[in-house]
Amino acid sequence: MSSKLDSIQTVDALPQSGHNVVKGFLTFQTWGRLHKFYFKRNARVASDRIRESQMADNKHMSEDEKVLHGMGYAQELSRRMGPFQNFAISFSIICILAGGITSYPLALTTGGGFEVAIGWLIGGLFALVVAASLGQIASAYPTAGGLYHWSSILGGRGWGWATAWINLLGLIFVVASVNVGVYALFRDLVLAGVFHMDVSGFTITHQIVAVVLITLTQALFNHFGIKLTTMLTDFSGYLIFVVAILLTLTFLIWGASHDFSRVFAFVNNTGDAGGGYVPTATGAVTAFLVGLLYPLYTITGFDASAHTSEETRDARNAVPKGMLHSVFWSLLFGLIMAISFLMATPDLVASAKEGGNAWFNLFNNLPAPTALKSLLAIGIVVANYICALAGLTSTSRMIYAFARDGGLPASKVLATVNPVYRTPVPAIWAGAVLAVLATLYSPAFAALAAGCALFLYVSYAMPVAAGFFAEGNKWKEFGPFRLGMWSKPFAVITMLGVLILMYAGIQPPFDILINYAIGLIVLLIVGWLVVRNTFKGPPMGAEIAKRQSAIAAQEKALAGG
């Protein structure tokens, strides 16, 4: 060490002509050593951090697999999703740029400004209560079956079987309604608004062809792996925030009014006052309840966090948080966005008379820069497309999980996981076909949207109701997320709220759903009589222990494939 210091000290003894060169060289050499040492140290620190992160992931992986094995299932799907990805898939399905726009006319034509703003707040808070109740159960039982599995454990095989079919129908309506919305938004915002095409001659045939093509591409994205899907839903999470903020600012800056009294003004616009969107005039209470389908159609599908439990690391913590965060941020940003629509409307009475075209006319006539509006239009359509894509992911996992327990026709095929992509390929394509078929029977967007909200929230209430009666009795195993003293009150709110929603969801213009409901009830009764002696449901008790060798064989086969 002293020789190095001596060599540096001798620089000052050199002639001036060589002084700067040698001093510069030694300074450069000294900094080079420090630079090399610094980066070696940082590389070592980074390597240690990566190793620690991998060890943490492996710890969660082993814990997640242990929990899954403890419920009698093999780790067939690939756990590529972290907490943000789990949040993003539910946030993408909720997508305030989907229902928050396409269902806006429903609120305006039922209760006016009050329904748009206060109705959104009330419906959103109810959704938050439901998400918290489901999150507590998801933390205890993180499986792809989600609601079906929970209902089976807490309420019995028959209750779980019924939950599965109702949830499946609701999920099919999610994909169907959003893809019809994607077509409508692309036609009216992009083709008509951006490219100024005349779309007045477009028919139901155009819609059918468009929906088939849209759903086909979404199925292909899902087919080729959860990694690709999560990349898109991650992007969608950021896209929704950015576009929603820009859209809100656009309406507030170039809007016609900043009269906040509109937020609290209830006006019954059912019947002719709403352009016939709700075809017959109803009383104020019924109008308000029907209008609640605006937030409840939008803020739904958050059970996707549960359906992707088996693909999420640290699922017992990440899944309930994913549900709650997706609902909370959708509630908050959606409320501000909805108020901006009200502020920007020149005449609420005239706008309500435009019925289903109210939002599109408002946007297209907004005196904002054309380039900005074109960019927003494209962003809205892309966000809606990924919303339905994420909905298909959730639907396919539900089909896969139900088929895994023998609950569907052709269960062995539908429960198959592709060994290369680690995705339930047959379930993905089955979900895509069913979503397209749903649009053929009820092509009207309003009916599809109401069906989505109605059937999904009924399926949400079923495990919560089972948990209400089982908690403290047969339900004694809980996860890290607990509601504590709020568990029972939240369950009561969920059950009562869904009963009210069932009434609202079959009022005109959604009365076509009565046929769906009757058909579903008949299917459940007849179907259960047929399968009650053969359908075993999810494994429980001694059956779980018996499955352990089969689980090991399944995982080994997938690893080798």
Side-chain angles (χ1 to χ4, degrees), residues 218-516:
Q218 291 162 342
L220 286 171
F221 277 122
N222 273 281
H223 181 122
F224 292 112
I226 191 64
K227 184 176 182 180
L228 181 59
T229 303
T230 52
M231 284 174 60
L232 290 171
T233 53
D234 287 357
F235 167 73
S236 178
Y238 295 114
L239 179 69
I240 291 168
F241 276 123
V242 172
V243 175
I245 291 169
L246 286 176
L247 187 67
T248 300
L249 291 174
T250 300
F251 275 103
L252 291 176
I253 292 169
W254 284 279
S257 167
H258 290 92
D259 179 9
F260 281 92
S261 65
R262 295 177 169 192
V263 169
F264 304 100
F266 181 88
V267 180
N268 186 344
N269 288 323
T270 55
D272 292 338
Y277 194 85
V278 177
T280 55
T282 65
V285 174
T286 300
F288 173 73
L289 294 178
V290 170
L292 285 178
L293 286 163
Y294 171 48
L296 292 180
Y297 163 63
T298 306
I299 308 178
T300 194
F302 46 85
D303 53 321
S305 289
H307 290 306
T308 52
S309 291
E310 294 178 30
E311 295 158 277
T312 301
R313 298 184 298 275
D314 191 20
R316 301 188 96 182
N317 287 297
V319 170
K321 288 178 182 177
M323 287 185 182
L324 284 169
H325 283 289
S326 64
V327 172
F328 174 77
W329 292 112
S330 297
L331 163 61
L332 180 62
F333 279 81
L335 176 62
I336 299 169
M337 186 179 75
I339 291 173
S340 76
F341 298 160
L342 291 176
M343 297 301 103
T345 304
D347 185 342
L348 284 178
V349 174
S351 185
K353 275 189 171 293
E354 294 171 343
N357 294 319
W359 191 89
F360 294 104
N361 291 341
L362 174 64
F363 180 80
N364 288 330
N365 294 326
L366 198 67
T370 302
L372 175 60
K373 288 172 64 177
S374 297
L375 190 65
L376 288 171
I378 294 169
I380 290 168
V381 172
V382 171
N384 275 260
Y385 175 86
I386 301 177
C387 168
L389 182 148
L392 184 57
T393 305
S394 184
T395 305
S396 66
R397 272 43 175 190
M398 169 59 210
I399 294 172
Y400 157 76
F402 195 29
R404 180 172 60 181
D405 293 329
L408 291 170
S411 283
K412 287 187 178 180
V413 175
L414 293 173
T416 304
V417 174
N418 185 287
V420 176
Y421 303 113
R422 301 291 292 272
T423 55
V425 170
I428 290 167
W429 289 101
V433 170
L434 291 171
V436 171
L437 291 176
T439 68
L440 301 181
Y441 177 67
S442 50
F445 172 80
L448 291 169
C452 164
L454 176 61
F455 294 119
L456 278 184
Y457 272 97
V458 169
S459 71
Y460 294 168
M462 292 180 75
V464 173
F468 176 80
F469 294 105
E471 188 174 354
N473 297 312
K474 62 187 294 186
W475 182 19
K476 297 178 180 179
E477 180 185 344
F478 296 90
F481 180 79
R482 290 290 305 274
L483 291 178
M485 63 178 288
W486 294 104
S487 180
K488 297 278 188 180
F490 276 19
V492 171
I493 293 170
T494 297
M495 292 184 284
L496 291 177
V498 168
L499 288 174
I500 295 170
L501 176 62
M502 289 171 68
Y503 167 77
I506 57 173
Q507 302 304 307
F510 318 126
D511 43 342
I512 191 175
L513 295 180
I514 296 175
N515 296 334
Y516 273 107

Side-chain angles (χ1 to χ4, degrees), residues 107 109 152 174 181 197 201 302 320 394 426-427:
T109 59
S152 298
V174 169
M197 286 179 58
F302 46 85
S394 184

Side-chain angles (χ1 to χ4, degrees), residues 115-155:
E115 192 77 59
V116 171
I118 307 303
W120 179 279
L121 181 61
I122 293 171
L125 289 174
F126 172 70
L128 198 60
V129 168
V130 176
S133 298
L134 292 177
Q136 176 176 239
I137 308 175
S139 185
Y141 308 108
T143 73
L147 312 169
Y148 144 70
H149 196 111
W150 308 336
S151 283
S152 298
I153 292 174
L154 302 175

